[in-house]
Amino acid sequence: MEDESDTRTSARLEIKPNSVSYNSALKVIAVIGDIDRACALFVRMQELGVANTISLNTTLHAFAVRARCNNISISAEDECSVVQIGERAEAIVNGVKKCGYGDEIKTDNVQPDIRTYNTLVNIWANSRCVDSIERAVGVVRRMKHQFNLSGDKQKILLEKKFYCVKSQ
């Protein structure tokens, strides 16, 4: 006679990853600034239908980390790559765009929030490119429009971001 515990252990458990487990893996990738892997995982999450706003923001965090790292020893070539980092990050937020190795990211079911836009401002603030201030202001304007922020809140957000960059 077969023991009931044997039946349970012999039955195959079907545990499927969900948005929490994927977002945890995405966070590990993001903290090291691996844009390509973050984008690839985000694309996979979109295909599986488990991507959410947290996934978007975590993917953008990888871009922010990369922008900060590229800023440590900036040369003319690095400045160009930092601009590309900012442009790629904005492209992801703006809709279906290319992100690494030709993968397309579809953000139809993933809505940007204030954290999304703050991360974009952070990316541009860390870039220290010639037009980074204008680009960051453009992001704040879009954020202001989308979330009906007052002028004072917009000014405070910008001052905080650029003060943090200047003081580093």
Side-chain angles (χ1 to χ4, degrees):
M1 183 166 168
E2 193 173 335
D3 188 343
E4 186 177 325
S5 64
D6 291 338
T7 305
R8 278 187 273 157
T9 56
S10 65
R12 185 167 194 178
L13 295 176
E14 291 202 25
I15 301 172
K16 296 181 181 178
N18 59 17
S19 62
V20 174
S21 54
Y22 275 106
N23 283 331
S24 296
L26 191 55
K27 177 72 174 179
V28 171
I29 294 167
V31 297
I32 61 171
D34 191 336
I35 294 171
D36 295 326
R37 281 189 180 170
C39 288
L41 183 55
F42 187 67
V43 167
R44 181 71 179 131
M45 291 172 71
Q46 287 285 68
E47 292 168 353
L48 296 171
V50 296
N52 56 28
T53 301
I54 294 169
S55 313
L56 172 64
N57 293 338
T58 306
T59 302
L60 292 178
H61 180 70
F63 284 84
V65 169
R66 176 66 68 83
R68 239 186 343 263
C69 291
N70 280 10
N71 211 0
I72 294 169
S73 61
I74 197 157
S75 66
E77 291 173 8
D78 289 337
E79 184 172 329
C80 179
S81 67
V82 173
V83 170
Q84 290 171 349
I85 289 168
E87 289 172 349
R88 284 176 68 190
E90 282 203 52
I92 293 168
V93 175
N94 292 335
V96 179
K97 301 295 175 188
K98 299 284 183 190
C99 180
Y101 305 122
D103 295 328
E104 285 192 354
I105 290 186
K106 296 179 175 86
T107 56
D108 298 340
N109 61 337
V110 180
Q111 296 302 313
D113 62 6
I114 289 179
R115 179 169 287 177
T116 307
Y117 290 103
N118 279 335
T119 303
L120 286 175
V121 169
N122 190 27
I123 291 166
W124 285 119
N126 279 312
S127 75
R128 295 185 184 162
C129 297
V130 175
D131 63 345
S132 62
I133 292 173
E134 291 81 16
R135 289 179 184 241
V137 168
V139 171
V140 173
R141 283 189 184 127
R142 281 183 285 161
M143 180 172 51
K144 178 183 177 185
H145 180 267
Q146 184 168 348
F147 299 106
N148 298 318
L149 298 175
S150 70
D152 290 339
K153 288 180 183 175
Q154 177 184 0
K155 184 179 176 185
I156 289 167
L157 286 170
L158 269 178
E159 287 175 356
K160 279 184 178 180
K161 289 295 178 187
F162 283 100
Y163 174 76
C164 291
V165 171
K166 287 179 183 177
S167 64
Q168 287 178 352

